[in-house]
Structures are given as structure tokens and as C-alpha cells.
């Protein structure tokens, strides 16, 4: 069974640009969540998509957005990049059946904003 | 509201010595607790989880965690660590949907 695949693994962007990150969940999983990981703030929840609908949203500005396709693949977009957006972005896939369901994480996309 | 506090940011320990990584949680609803491990340049991997039932939870690689409701704790322990256990460990509590509240992490360094 293939794991969670995130592409690209590494990305360098300039301030003001926008970026799109991709996440392919485990086959059969309909829930995809996104997290931002930084040394200062740790792991912070961005949003969750379940069956193409955003079900939960963290406390991030509107520059951060996402979507989920009918095959459960998800994309995350960040517009007008700032230096502080440099982080490891992790995607978590879940065959969610309740809050007791574990999540499977991808290896992440390392975004560097210069 | 839900939150997790990991009391130690760094824990150095000698190889084959025991270790305890501390985690305290706050939750106003039913509690589901998890420990994840992150190796360098990798995503998070599930180590173990507490859902209900027995308060002692074990993983396949020798780690165990005990759920203590009165002390709102879920400390992770291993009786004898190996070099390969060097990693970042995160305690987490789950919420509605596929959403976890993570602690700030504990960096475990095993010294030869």
C-alpha cells in the first residue's frame, strides 16, 4: 500500500510569489489535513478537507488556501509569499471514522522563501 | 479547548538507559492521545495511541505510554534506548475531523 506522497520535496520561492503544493493520500482515504511546521511555532494545523469539502480550518490568513479533488488528492496554495512562510508543510491522510483515527503523514515539502 | 504540553524540549540519554518523555494534555471532550516520531527530514510516524480501555499502551519497538486521567498525562517511556531512537517525539490530542493538536516536541538524543 503506497504511503502519502507530497510533491515537490523542496521549493525555493521569492517574496511576493505564490506556490502550490500537492498531496496524494493513501488510497481509500478521504480526509487530508495540512500542517505547517516551523522551529518557533511547531506544528500548526492549516485546514482539513474531507470528500472535497473543507471541514476544519486553522488560524491562518486567507493567503493560505486549499482544495481537494474527487480522487482525494489535495493541493495547498500560498499567495503573496512572505519570509515567515518558510517552513516544512506536512500533509496527513486519514481514513477518518472518528477522532480516534490515526493520521499518516507524508515526508513534507520544505518551502524556503527568499 | 484542547492543548498539549511537552515539558522537555531536549532529552539526552545514554544508550541502553531508560527514558521518559513527558506529556500533559488539556481537553474538554473525550480524549484520544497519540505519540508520533519524526526522524530528520521525514514526516511524522505514529508510535502509539490511546483510545480507551487499558491505560498502558505499547508500541512494537519497545516504547510504552500510560494514560493518567487524574494527572492529565500521557508520558512516553522506554526501558532501554538505542542509537536509532534519536529523533523528535510529538505528543498529540485529536479533535473533530482529521485535526491534531501537537505539543512542541521533545528532541531525544541517544549518546553512545
Amino acid at each position: 500500500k503506497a504511503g502519502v506522497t507530497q510533491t515537490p520535496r523542496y521549493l525555493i520561492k521569492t517574496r511576493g510569489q505564490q506556490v502550490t503544493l500537492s498531496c496524494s493520500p493513501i488510497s481509500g482515504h478521504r480526509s487530508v489535513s495540512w500542517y505547517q511546521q516551523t522551529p518557533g511555532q511547531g506544528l500548526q494545523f492549516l485546514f482539513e478537507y474531507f470528500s472535497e469539502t473543507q471541514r476544519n480550518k486553522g488560524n491562518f490568513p486567507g493567503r493560505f488556501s486549499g482544495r481537494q479533488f474527487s480522487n482525494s488528492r489535495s493541493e495547498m496554495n500560498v499567495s503573496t509569499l512572505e519570509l515567515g512562510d518558510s517552513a516544512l508543510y506536512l500533509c496527513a491522510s486519514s481514513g477518518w471514522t472518528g477522532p480516534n483515527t490515526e493520521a499518516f503523514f507524508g515526508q513534507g515539502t520544505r518551502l524556503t522563501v527568499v | 479547548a484542547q492543548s498539549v504540553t511537552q515539558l522537555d524540549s531536549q532529552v539526552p540519554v545514554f544508550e541502553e538507559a531508560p527514558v521518559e518523555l513527558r506529556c500533559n494534555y488539556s481537553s474538554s471532550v473525550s480524549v484520544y492521545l497519540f505519540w508520533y516520531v519524526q526522524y530528520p527530514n521525514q514526516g511524522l510516524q505514529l508510535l502509539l495511541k490511546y483510545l480507551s480501555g487499558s491505560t498502558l499502551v505499547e508500541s512494537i519497538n519497545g516504547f510504552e505510554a500510560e494514560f493518567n486521567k487524574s494527572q492529565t498525562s500521557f508520558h512516553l517511556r522506554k526501558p532501554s534506548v538505542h542509537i536509532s531512537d534519536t529523533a523528535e517525539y510529538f505528543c498529540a490530542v485529536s479533535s473533530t475531523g482529521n485535526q491534531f493538536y501537537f505539543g512542541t516536541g521533545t528532541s531525544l538524543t541517544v549518546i553512545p
Side-chain angles (χ1 to χ4, degrees):
Chain A
K1 194 173 186 180
V4 181
T5 303
Q6 290 189 246
T7 56
R9 287 292 310 277
Y10 301 93
L11 208 49
I12 300 176
K13 289 288 188 179
T14 304
R15 270 184 304 175
Q17 287 186 312
Q18 74 167 17
V19 66
T20 299
L21 313 181
S22 178
C23 171
S24 292
I26 292 171
S27 178
H29 284 187
R30 294 192 294 166
S31 170
V32 174
S33 292
W34 289 89
Y35 292 82
Q36 181 194 66
Q37 185 178 23
T38 59
Q41 300 297 320
L43 283 151
Q44 293 187 286
F45 173 76
L46 281 154
F47 32 65
E48 183 218 359
Y49 285 87
F50 183 84
S51 294
E52 302 180 66
T53 301
Q54 188 180 86
R55 186 161 65 171
N56 289 296
K57 189 177 188 303
N59 189 27
F60 276 81
R63 299 186 297 107
F64 292 82
S65 63
R67 59 177 176 170
Q68 187 179 33
F69 301 95
S70 58
N71 62 357
S72 292
R73 189 177 71 85
S74 177
E75 287 183 347
M76 189 191 93
N77 185 75
V78 188
S79 62
T80 319
L81 283 166
E82 301 176 358
L83 294 179
D85 297 333
S86 294
L88 180 66
Y89 290 88
L90 293 166
C91 161
S93 161
S94 171
W96 195 81
T97 57
N100 58 352
T101 310
E102 67 192 76
F104 297 83
F105 285 79
Q107 292 187 301
T109 294
R110 172 78 60 187
L111 172 65
T112 302
V113 182
V114 297
Chain B
Q2 299 181 339
S3 66
V4 172
T5 302
Q6 290 184 247
L7 300 167
D8 307 297
S9 60
Q10 296 184 5
V11 173
V13 62
F14 286 103
E15 192 175 14
E16 297 184 5
V19 69
E20 178 180 82
L21 307 183
R22 297 181 291 170
C23 171
N24 287 90
Y25 69 90
S26 172
S27 176
S28 57
V29 296
S30 298
V31 176
Y32 302 100
L33 294 160
F34 302 76
W35 274 100
Y36 280 87
V37 59
Q38 186 178 34
Y39 298 101
N41 298 314
Q42 299 291 319
L44 278 70
Q45 301 173 27
L46 180 69
L47 200 54
L48 47 77
K49 60 182 178 181
Y50 170 76
L51 305 179
S52 63
S54 173
T55 57
L56 187 64
V57 185
E58 298 178 353
S59 73
I60 58 173
N61 56 357
F63 282 95
E64 63 180 31
E66 185 164 14
F67 172 65
N68 188 317
K69 187 174 182 178
S70 63
Q71 297 185 4
T72 60
S73 67
F74 190 54
H75 300 333
L76 182 69
R77 302 185 182 96
K78 189 170 185 180
S80 176
V81 295
H82 303 288
I83 296 293
S84 59
D85 293 325
T86 294
E88 190 88 13
Y89 291 80
F90 292 92
C91 182
V93 60
S94 69
S95 177
T96 57
N98 181 16
Q99 178 179 351
F100 291 83
Y101 293 90
F102 287 93
T104 50
T106 297
S107 178
L108 174 63
T109 301
V110 180
I111 304 165

